Amino acid sequence: MIVKVLHQKYKVQIITKNSGNFLKNNYTYLIRLENKIKKLLPLFLIFVLAIITRLIYLDLRPLHHDEGVNYYFAQKIIDEGKFVYDSVNYHGPFYFFSLFLSFLVFGVSEFSLRLPTAIFGIITALSPLFFKDIKNAFNPYITSLFLIFSPSILYFSRYSIHETSLTLFSLLFIIFLGFILEKKDFIYLPYIALCLALILGIKETAVIFLIAIFIILVIHIKILRELKNTIFENRNLLYISILLFFFIYISLFTGFFTNIKGVYESIKGFLP
């Protein structure tokens, strides 16, 4: 509105020789400010909606028995000062450590038990905004709104369960893989390594996701052949990504190097 008023009032003055630089500079500044607000306002509204829908009355609903099981393992870390991974559990250690951290910061409560999942749900709802740099991607703002108000995603974003974080890091993996295939740039390879280590550290059903990734790579075999020619030039990024993956993977399954047997148990967990 301010810009429109100034535009009407000073339009003739700006284009005439007698108009001052001060007026020109302020008019230009207001135009740029209005454009920035138009760009940032949708992001702000989506961010606020994601936070409100995930955090409001988070501790109101009674706990489900699955949430009680997750509480038990997180509380066990506090009581024993360590986490011992068991492949029979079929749940990776990442989410239990997330609950442990939440308990340390906010105390043990229904709210802190569900807070990590709510945070993962918020990031999941915002993740389509990363798609803006990929060609032919669906409108990221509309996609985020779908994720915010999706009944199933909203429910599990307010529920202390592993699958919400699994969904988040699987989606981020796809986004970074899309960047590599689209831009033919290996700079995103460490992010893929990070996401993959966390996916495997959340739940053993990650093998289903890996099968889907294999199919995607087969479909894009031509692009992969093109990338093969540049892999030597980016070998440092490749080495860093491999080291990052194994560091995070081993750290999680060994309870941060307190139980070396956890690596062997993790392999058993992925076997039939």
Side-chain angles (χ1 to χ4, degrees), residues 26-266:
N26 277 273
Y27 180 79
T28 303
Y29 170 76
L30 289 173
I31 290 291
R32 292 176 178 175
L33 179 62
E34 184 179 53
N35 291 334
K36 287 183 178 180
I37 292 175
K38 288 179 179 179
K39 290 180 179 179
L40 293 177
L41 186 59
L43 295 175
F44 176 75
L45 292 177
I46 289 175
F47 183 71
V48 171
L49 283 173
I51 290 179
I52 292 176
T53 54
R54 268 64 182 171
L55 293 182
I56 190 170
Y57 300 128
L58 187 60
D59 58 348
L60 185 62
R61 189 178 73 251
L63 294 179
H64 188 273
H65 66 82
D66 277 348
E67 294 179 294
V69 172
N70 291 331
Y71 158 77
Y72 168 78
F73 283 106
Q75 183 64 46
K76 196 174 180 180
I77 299 176
I78 296 177
D79 296 338
E80 299 181 0
K82 62 179 181 179
F83 176 82
V84 179
Y85 173 75
D86 186 351
S87 59
V88 177
N89 188 13
Y90 285 109
H91 289 76
F94 172 77
Y95 186 66
F96 298 130
F97 284 122
S98 300
L99 294 179
F100 167 70
L101 181 61
S102 181
F103 288 170
L104 286 183
V105 176
F106 300 101
V108 179
S109 65
E110 289 90 342
F111 179 84
S112 60
L113 180 64
R114 290 171 174 161
L115 181 60
T117 303
I119 294 175
F120 296 140
I122 291 171
I123 301 174
T124 299
L126 299 177
S127 60
L129 300 179
F130 291 104
F131 275 114
K132 291 193 296 182
D133 292 334
I134 296 182
K135 295 179 181 179
N136 302 321
F138 188 72
N139 188 299
Y141 301 105
I142 296 178
T143 305
S144 285
L145 289 176
F146 275 126
L147 291 175
I148 288 174
F149 294 109
S150 166
S152 58
I153 293 179
L154 177 58
Y155 176 82
F156 286 109
S157 294
R158 298 172 56 87
Y159 181 98
S160 184
I161 197 170
H162 297 70
E163 279 71 13
T164 305
S165 56
L166 183 63
T167 300
L168 168 62
F169 293 113
S170 298
L171 183 56
L172 291 178
F173 184 101
I174 294 294
I175 291 175
F176 293 130
L177 179 60
F179 283 151
I180 291 179
L181 295 176
E182 181 72 34
K183 300 180 179 181
K184 298 178 177 61
D185 191 347
F186 283 95
I187 191 66
Y188 303 99
L189 199 56
Y191 301 110
I192 284 184
L194 171 64
C195 290
L196 181 59
L198 294 178
I199 289 169
L200 295 176
I202 294 172
K203 200 170 183 181
E204 286 74 2
T205 51
V207 293
I208 300 174
F209 173 75
L210 295 180
I211 294 173
I213 293 300
F214 176 76
I215 296 174
I216 292 175
L217 294 178
V218 170
I219 294 174
H220 294 85
I221 189 67
K222 291 184 179 180
I223 297 179
L224 293 178
R225 288 174 178 171
E226 295 177 10
L227 292 173
K228 182 181 177 181
N229 299 326
T230 61
I231 190 67
F232 182 78
E233 301 173 4
N234 297 274
R235 60 187 181 279
N236 290 335
L237 274 175
L238 179 62
Y239 298 151
I240 292 173
S241 301
I242 293 174
L243 290 174
L244 179 63
F245 168 80
F246 281 108
F247 176 77
I248 296 175
Y249 183 90
I250 294 173
S251 297
L252 289 174
F253 281 100
T254 61
F256 294 96
F257 309 103
T258 59
N259 175 39
I260 302 302
K261 186 181 177 182
V263 176
Y264 169 72
E265 286 291 324
S266 71

